[in-house]
Amino acid sequence: MIFKKIQLYFYTLKDLKISQFLFHLKFIFIKPKFLNKEWTNKKIFYKKKEEFNFIEDVNDYKKVNFYKKFKLLIKIENQNNKLKKFNLYYLNHILNEKISLNKKKDNIKKLYKYSLKNKNSLAWHPYPTSIRLMNLIKFRYSNNVNSKFIDNFIFSHFCTLIRNLEYNLNANHLLTNIIAINTFLVTCSLKTEEIKKNKKKYFNKLDKILKSQFKFYFHYENSPKYHLFLIKQILDLEILKKIVGKKNNDKNILLIKKGLNFILDISHPDKTLPFFNDTNRNHIKVNKIKKKFEDIFGNLGKFNLKNKIFPIINNKRFKLITKCCEPSPKYNPGHTHGDNLSFELSILNKRILTGRGISTYENNNERKIQRSSKNHNSIEINGLSANEVWNSFRIARKSKISNLKISKNSIYAECLGYYHNFRFNVHKRRWILKNKNLQI
């Protein structure tokens, strides 16, 4: 049992970057802490030059009616479910047009007062801090809010976040941190030397990270839900540039166009995302983002993109979406499942076969099952999944995909995984789509 545990840790840790080890140690000893900063002498933000609204992000935690029952905050803080807490702290509801402006402002003040007493609260973990920072800036411009308190609270978010970037996780967390910092810097009118230096540094860093994380214009974690969320974040950043009269980044606009084309291509005919990796029904609507882009930046256009991640074949009756990719990135495959060579199928524009999706990120049996091969329509060998998934976000021995062949009517691939008795096993699968049937 001890030897097995050692093996799991060894194969999990061996692919980590050195920077991840160092920053893991940092977060063990130095917890993110709310920094209450005030900039009272000058205005922090540029004036609004154009009028645009933003799409409210999906809130995974619907059980807590945040704007009515803020007293539940402390109760939630003491619970173990990290995902529920994170969703509470995003403040997604402040972009909901159905909620009154006074209620939104009131909850922002309550969170501020709560943070003064609980500076080490999970609310100030870099990830929810990043999303909340973007939401507060979008809220400010959408509602023409001119409040010194809210401006200073936003500035506090920036000062807190810039000291706690998630180099320990990298991947979508670090990208979200950097997009949030860029969102602040794009809208910030302060002319201090520190702000000027940060603008150059983080504008360049964002370009570099986008280039490394979006391979073939799909986010390299290969989770459709996270890809769509990140595309929306980049779109919001470019919309804010327009709002304050800044020049848009042509590379980012092209990335949004191709990223949306990719996700539309692999979606079901009803525009639902396939439930590969950490994806479920509760995601932002693809068509909403497409419409928002086209309303502001013009026609999305069509691109013929190489798709060796989720190859598809379709005809008038069927649409088949397959998953033929390995755990990615190797240094943080936390959102990867054992769903190699699984597939989803729509018949006559209706979803017929899908994965079961996810409902939790907690380290429990439910999460283990949801990440397994049997939770998707793939196979197990000796009761094992293709990838050696364990804990909430860990993978030890990782599978490999080879001999991928895609034609007009068929897909073939081989998966080397299912480690057992000191060797890997091979799962070979071919899909052949005909006019009236699918052969597997």
Side-chain angles (χ1 to χ4, degrees):
M1 190 69 180
I2 295 173
F3 181 65
K4 171 71 173 173
K5 198 80 170 175
I6 291 170
Q7 282 185 315
L8 287 175
Y9 274 102
F10 172 76
Y11 286 105
T12 301
L13 297 174
K14 76 181 185 70
D15 293 317
L16 262 62
K17 295 181 176 183
I18 294 173
S19 60
Q20 287 179 281
F21 279 107
L22 297 175
F23 279 92
H24 270 299
L25 289 173
K26 176 193 169 185
F27 278 106
I28 288 171
F29 295 107
I30 306 171
K31 299 293 182 186
K33 185 178 180 181
F34 170 56
L35 298 175
N36 187 26
K37 296 285 184 178
E38 289 189 16
W39 192 273
T40 54
N41 298 328
K42 298 178 184 178
K43 289 184 178 179
I44 297 175
F45 294 99
Y46 288 113
K47 286 183 179 179
K48 188 175 182 178
K49 293 188 177 180
E50 291 196 48
E51 185 74 36
F52 297 114
N53 288 322
F54 297 89
I55 304 167
E56 180 191 7
D57 290 336
V58 173
N59 195 335
D60 289 326
Y61 190 40
K62 294 177 179 176
K63 290 181 182 177
V64 171
N65 199 337
F66 189 93
Y67 58 91
K68 284 186 178 178
K69 300 180 180 178
F70 201 93
K71 288 180 181 178
L72 284 173
L73 185 64
I74 295 170
K75 186 179 177 182
I76 295 299
E77 184 75 31
N78 294 327
Q79 288 183 4
N80 293 323
N81 195 318
K82 196 172 181 179
L83 183 63
K84 289 181 180 179
K85 296 176 193 174
F86 270 22
N87 277 279
L88 184 69
Y89 296 134
Y90 294 157
L91 294 194
N92 285 334
H93 74 280
I94 63 174
L95 297 176
N96 189 323
E97 294 177 357
K98 295 178 182 178
I99 302 170
S100 74
L101 184 60
N102 286 336
K103 282 182 179 178
K104 294 172 187 176
K105 284 182 177 179
D106 186 51
N107 278 306
I108 293 169
K109 285 179 181 176
K110 283 178 180 175
L111 182 61
Y112 171 72
K113 289 176 182 176
Y114 175 79
S115 298
L116 290 176
K117 293 179 182 177
N118 303 272
K119 292 190 175 183
N120 289 112
S121 165
L122 194 68
W124 294 96
H125 181 286
Y127 190 71
T129 301
S130 299
I131 295 174
R132 191 171 59 249
L133 171 57
M134 288 184 278
N135 282 338
L136 285 165
I137 293 172
K138 289 183 282 186
F139 163 78
R140 184 192 183 280
Y141 281 103
S142 294
N143 296 280
N144 295 314
V145 173
N146 188 12
S147 162
K148 190 179 284 186
F149 158 69
I150 288 177
D151 285 0
N152 281 323
F153 193 41
I154 292 172
F155 187 56
S156 296
H157 277 69
F158 168 73
C159 295
T160 303
L161 179 60
I162 212 162
R163 289 164 175 78
N164 296 292
L165 297 177
E166 292 178 271
Y167 287 102
N168 58 321
L169 294 178
N170 206 306
N172 81 81
H173 274 240
L174 180 61
L175 178 53
T176 300
N177 300 160
I178 301 300
I179 292 173
I181 289 169
N182 273 260
T183 301
F184 175 83
L185 293 172
V186 158
T187 53
C188 173
S189 61
L190 299 177
K191 303 293 184 184
T192 66
E193 280 303 313
E194 186 183 2
I195 292 293
K196 287 178 184 176
K197 238 186 247 185
N198 279 325
K199 280 185 178 180
K200 187 176 180 181
K201 177 182 176 181
Y202 286 103
F203 287 176
N204 291 337
K205 195 177 282 288
L206 179 59
D207 287 342
K208 188 177 177 181
I209 291 177
L210 287 176
K211 189 176 179 181
S212 68
Q213 291 199 14
F214 279 87
K215 296 180 178 178
F216 304 110
Y217 298 96
F218 193 81
H219 188 254
Y220 71 165
E221 289 185 64
N222 299 336
S223 284
K225 180 177 178 177
Y226 281 94
H227 168 83
L228 189 59
F229 177 65
L230 290 166
I231 288 292
K232 181 188 173 295
Q233 288 181 322
I234 301 162
L235 175 58
D236 286 344
L237 174 61
E238 294 303 320
I239 292 172
L240 278 162
K241 287 179 185 176
K242 266 192 169 296
I243 286 174
V244 298
K246 297 285 183 181
K247 186 181 178 182
N248 288 112
N249 185 316
D250 291 338
K251 288 181 182 177
N252 289 356
I253 299 298
L254 184 62
L255 173 60
I256 295 164
K257 284 183 175 182
K258 292 191 173 183
L260 282 175
N261 266 271
F262 196 109
I263 203 77
L264 285 163
D265 191 42
I266 66 166
S267 295
H268 287 276
D270 66 358
K271 299 299 182 285
T272 302
L273 301 183
F275 293 171
F276 296 133
N277 290 336
D278 276 341
T279 302
N280 56 15
R281 185 187 295 273
N282 196 30
H283 58 75
I284 306 162
K285 301 300 178 188
V286 187
N287 278 348
K288 273 190 176 182
I289 301 177
K290 179 176 181 284
K291 185 178 184 307
K292 177 60 68 175
F293 177 88
E294 292 185 331
D295 286 347
I296 299 170
F297 296 101
N299 190 16
L300 189 65
K302 288 192 176 180
F303 300 85
N304 292 319
L305 303 170
K306 291 180 181 178
N307 178 8
K308 294 184 178 180
I309 304 167
F310 306 118
I312 63 167
I313 45 177
N314 55 12
N315 57 29
K316 290 180 181 179
R317 183 181 293 264
F318 300 105
K319 181 167 186 179
L320 175 77
I321 312 157
T322 67
K323 185 191 175 191
C324 298
C325 56
E326 303 167 357
S328 179
K330 280 190 174 181
Y331 57 80
N332 184 6
H335 292 296
T336 297
H337 290 205
D339 52 351
N340 308 59
L341 306 193
S342 66
F343 67 97
E344 301 210 355
L345 180 70
S346 282
I347 302 176
L348 298 175
N349 296 330
K350 291 187 178 180
R351 286 179 297 126
I352 301 300
L353 291 172
T354 73
R356 290 168 59 195
I358 58 155
S359 63
T360 181
Y361 280 167
E362 297 308 300
N363 184 22
N364 53 31
N365 194 52
E366 188 177 4
R367 173 71 172 161
K368 184 180 177 182
I369 291 170
Q370 288 175 356
R371 293 184 76 199
S372 69
S373 293
K374 68 182 178 184
N375 194 53
H376 304 268
N377 42 36
S378 188
I379 67 165
E380 288 189 333
I381 299 175
N382 300 311
L384 299 172
S385 294
N387 301 305
E388 196 172 20
V389 296
W390 67 290
N391 208 288
S392 301
F393 296 99
R394 291 175 182 167
I395 293 181
R397 294 177 180 90
K398 301 167 182 71
S399 63
K400 291 184 179 179
I401 299 292
S402 61
N403 294 330
L404 176 61
K405 296 172 185 176
I406 307 166
S407 67
K408 185 179 179 181
N409 298 314
S410 70
I411 299 168
Y412 174 82
E414 297 177 5
C415 174
L416 181 68
Y418 309 94
Y419 188 83
H420 182 67
N421 286 344
F422 305 103
R423 70 183 181 91
F424 288 96
N425 290 280
V426 182
H427 171 207
K428 304 176 183 180
R429 181 171 260 184
R430 186 191 303 277
W431 298 267
I432 302 171
L433 192 63
K434 298 189 175 180
N435 287 336
K436 292 188 177 180
N437 64 69
L438 169 68
Q439 295 178 9
I440 305 165

